[in-house]
Amino acid sequence: PPLASKTSPPPSPAPTLAPAACFLVRSDVLAGAFASLSSFPSSSPSSSPSPRRPPPAPRRGRGVRPRAASGDASRSGVDGTGDGNHGGLLFHAAPMQGYTNAYLRRLLNGLSGKTVLWTEMEKVDDPDALRRALERCFPENNAGGGGGRSSRGGGGGALVLQLGGIDPMKLAGAACDAVRRDLQTGGPSPRLVGINLNCGCPSIESGGAADFGAALMRDPAAVRVAAEAVRGAIDAARARYGGAAGASEIPVSVKCRIGLRDAAPAGPASCGEDDYGFLAEFVARISEGGGLEGGGIVVHARSAVLSGLSPLKNRSVPPLRPDFVHRLARDFPRLPVTLNGGISGIGEAREIASAVAAAAAAAENGSGEGVIDGVMLGRAMLERPLDLLLVDPDPLFRVRRSGAFGVIAGGTPRMSPAAVIAEYARYAAGEVSRCGRSVVGDVTMPLVLVSEQLRESFAYLEDLEFLERGVVGVHPAPSFAETELRDAFIATWKGLEEISAAASGGTGGGEGNKELKGIDGGSVLMEVAEGGRVPTKKLSKLLKATMGKKVAGKVERNRSENVRQRLSSPFSSVMSYNEGAS
């Protein structure tokens, strides 16, 4: 599609969601995109997908070709290596509705500069909510903190914006506005490193619908048009608003499932056989036009059930088929493929990365083509967020190109949990002072996740709680030494006191955390520092009190979901990879 002229004078920043300049370009972009539909067979959203033809032949040596700049890796527009060799997997923090907001992203970025952060899904059909979400992502535009850039690595972390919708004009407008805001934040370099189209959400709201989520896999032609429209809008916005010379492009990706089912099965045994041909055909169709160049596809290795199954059960009942994802990477070697779903933690992610590195090394050219490009974890981060500290020092995971945004150097020694928690607490207290008590529950949610990990770590060390239940080993061993865990507890307690003080004296008024009153925090922390009892349950209770029982209960259920899945699932992403490779 034609791009806007780079010689035309840039207009003044437009305050509206979709700047007029973007619409001028999108008319041409969409004309070309809709014209390309003639190459597709007709498709009806209401018809259930069925294997109409065998899977496409492997596209070795051709197919989707990335828009690689000079000196960039040949395989992927988001690669971290410049020599064409496989340099490890990208590590993604999955988009999770209600969790991956600006506050949790702030903590996760402090824990790992390598981790690619994702926003929650933002629906383009709700322009007001989308505008507010973009303001939180790029707060320098509106004098806010809201999850802005941390000092580590010169940025707030690589950020992928996930959009929900299928209307090409609305998606293009959202993409244009996101790029404009990112380029005008005034930071050292842009942090928006990708825009993703949600074709994998199996929520009840999207069940059977065609406007966002997994139901869109029924209409690959429409997904292709949407991807090309977003791609054109990104290029136009970068040309119009002055993308930095030498900066990496902002690729477009699609997140999907391996297949679709209309009705809920009675259980995993009655799910039936998944069809790899359906997945391969979907990917071939949506990527043929070039809209996914450099961005690729993120695949949750389960089918999506569109009705009769809750979102929670959609993450556990359909069987895992990570072998489909590894096979997809081999059949589409020029398309970056990311594995999502059922990865229980950093340990399993490392095992997958190690197996992939071995396969890449054994390849004829050693380029890494034909293997997955990254892994994505979601609920595992809610269960053990501090484990992200183990990502940065690990050579099995790579950083994104420094041309895209400031990153920490590879192999940088990890920070201590206490240091990251203390930095986040200072930021959170500042947010409460600025916004008032209304945000207290939001800013403490990441600390609730931290406190729960600490509680389970000390329970494992003491063998008390688990011996009483007769279920020793439900949680994996702590990732950190006891001294670091004690320091992390002290930092979290002090952080809660700092946030409570901000709530008491901030612009929002109020009394802070009432349960802290009458507690001698100094004596508690002294006992912990001297090797005494660590009251982790008390800390968790104090933090949850800031959120309310309903929200705290939801957080607890979602954390335990990963534990149940890890104990009950007979599948292994590593085993499936090895079986598929053979």
Side-chain angles (χ1 to χ4, degrees):
L3 301 179
S5 172
K6 293 186 179 182
T7 59
S8 58
S12 57
T16 57
L17 176 65
C22 294
F23 286 111
L24 294 176
V25 178
R26 285 203 307 276
S27 61
D28 291 335
V29 171
L30 296 178
F34 282 111
S36 68
L37 280 173
S38 59
S39 62
F40 284 109
S42 61
S43 166
S44 172
S46 61
S47 61
S48 178
S50 59
R52 294 181 298 275
R53 64 187 71 177
R59 302 166 179 265
R60 301 190 183 279
R62 65 183 187 87
V64 175
R65 192 170 296 275
R67 304 163 179 244
S70 176
D72 287 342
S74 61
R75 177 169 185 257
S76 166
V78 295
D79 219 308
T81 57
D83 56 5
N85 294 322
H86 179 76
L89 297 185
L90 284 175
F91 190 95
H92 297 261
M96 292 177 285
Q97 212 70 15
Y99 287 100
T100 49
N101 53 30
Y103 305 115
L104 182 59
R105 294 199 306 265
R106 176 73 176 222
L107 175 66
L108 298 182
N109 178 234
L111 293 167
S112 170
K114 282 184 180 180
T115 298
V116 182
L117 306 174
W118 285 54
T119 68
E120 302 171 86
M121 181 189 67
E122 306 296 348
K123 298 180 184 177
V124 296
D125 287 337
D126 189 344
D128 290 336
L130 179 62
R131 174 184 54 79
R132 291 191 297 269
L134 293 179
E135 287 175 352
R136 291 191 296 269
C137 289
F138 313 110
E140 280 89 335
N141 272 352
N142 61 322
R149 305 171 187 225
S150 68
S151 59
R152 188 175 190 190
L159 183 65
V160 175
L161 171 65
Q162 185 178 68
L163 298 176
I166 195 57
D167 186 293
M169 292 291 285
K170 293 179 180 179
L171 288 167
C176 183
D177 195 38
V179 174
R180 175 181 66 82
R181 290 175 182 274
D182 186 47
L183 292 174
Q184 295 175 350
T185 53
S189 58
R191 65 181 299 225
L192 182 66
V193 295
I195 294 180
N196 177 266
L197 305 182
N198 185 336
C199 297
C201 177
S203 68
I204 296 174
E205 185 178 354
S206 69
D211 57 348
F212 78 93
L216 298 182
M217 293 187 71
R218 288 174 166 169
D219 195 353
V223 175
R224 172 184 168 183
V225 169
E228 291 178 356
V230 172
R231 174 73 267 164
I234 291 172
D235 291 343
R238 285 168 56 85
R240 190 82 176 178
Y241 298 110
S248 301
E249 296 194 13
I250 301 173
V252 180
S253 61
V254 166
K255 190 173 188 295
C256 68
R257 294 284 185 121
I258 62 171
L260 294 179
R261 300 188 185 280
D262 289 319
S270 61
C271 280
E273 288 295 325
D274 290 303
D275 177 25
Y276 174 77
F278 169 75
L279 173 64
E281 183 176 352
F282 173 76
V283 172
R285 288 188 175 190
I286 65 175
S287 63
E288 197 65 40
L292 301 184
E293 290 180 359
I297 188 161
V298 181
V299 186
H300 187 139
R302 287 187 175 92
S303 288
V305 179
L306 297 182
S307 63
L309 204 62
S310 69
L312 187 152
K313 290 186 177 180
N314 251 295
R315 294 190 293 267
S316 58
V317 173
L320 280 168
R321 294 299 304 269
D323 54 307
F324 278 21
V325 185
H326 292 294
R327 180 179 174 185
L328 193 72
R330 290 193 297 274
D331 287 350
F332 295 84
R334 297 297 183 91
L335 187 71
V337 176
T338 298
L339 172 64
N340 173 227
I343 303 176
S344 61
I346 305 298
E348 186 174 352
R350 289 192 77 259
E351 293 176 3
I352 296 171
S354 179
V356 169
E364 291 183 4
N365 58 5
S367 66
E369 292 187 354
V371 297
I372 62 172
D373 187 66
V375 290
M376 173 179 282
L377 275 68
R379 306 289 154 174
M381 293 187 307
L382 301 184
E383 184 194 3
R384 297 169 67 89
L386 295 179
D387 284 7
L388 279 184
L389 283 166
L390 307 177
V391 172
D392 285 1
D394 198 325
L396 289 172
F397 304 113
R398 75 178 189 268
V399 297
R400 298 178 73 103
R401 284 199 304 263
S402 58
F405 71 107
V407 295
I408 64 169
T412 298
R414 69 170 176 85
M415 298 177 66
S416 71
V420 176
I421 295 168
E423 190 279 334
Y424 175 79
R426 287 191 293 271
Y427 155 77
E431 286 294 285
V432 173
S433 296
R434 184 176 67 87
C435 302
R437 284 184 52 83
S438 62
V439 300
V440 169
D442 296 326
V443 302
T444 54
M445 186 269 289
L447 294 181
V448 169
L449 301 177
V450 168
S451 70
E452 286 294 289
Q453 180 176 355
L454 293 175
R455 181 183 63 81
E456 293 165 354
S457 295
F458 279 104
Y460 183 97
L461 292 174
E462 298 171 1
D463 265 347
L464 295 177
E465 183 177 349
F466 300 112
L467 282 175
E468 291 173 359
R469 296 180 185 176
V471 286
V472 177
V474 168
H475 297 284
S479 302
F480 308 96
E482 182 177 350
T483 54
E484 286 192 290
L485 294 174
R486 287 180 177 271
D487 290 342
F489 175 90
I490 293 172
T492 307
W493 186 288
K494 288 182 176 179
L496 174 59
E497 290 181 332
E498 192 172 353
I499 293 169
S500 182
S504 297
T507 57
E511 292 185 12
N513 192 328
K514 296 180 180 180
E515 294 198 31
L516 277 175
K517 297 183 180 302
I519 296 179
D520 185 358
S523 62
V524 170
L525 299 183
M526 182 177 296
E527 181 180 0
V528 173
E530 293 177 349
R533 187 179 65 89
V534 184
T536 53
K537 290 184 179 179
K538 182 63 176 178
L539 176 61
S540 292
K541 181 179 178 181
L542 291 172
L543 282 164
K544 290 177 182 178
T546 67
M547 306 171 62
K549 291 183 179 180
K550 185 176 181 180
V551 177
K554 177 185 176 183
V555 172
E556 188 171 341
R557 288 191 300 273
N558 284 328
R559 284 192 72 257
S560 61
E561 179 184 337
N562 191 63
V563 178
R564 293 193 302 270
Q565 176 178 291
R566 173 158 36 81
L567 293 175
S568 62
S569 176
F571 300 96
S572 165
S573 300
V574 180
M575 291 175 59
S576 298
Y577 173 81
N578 292 330
E579 292 167 358
S582 62

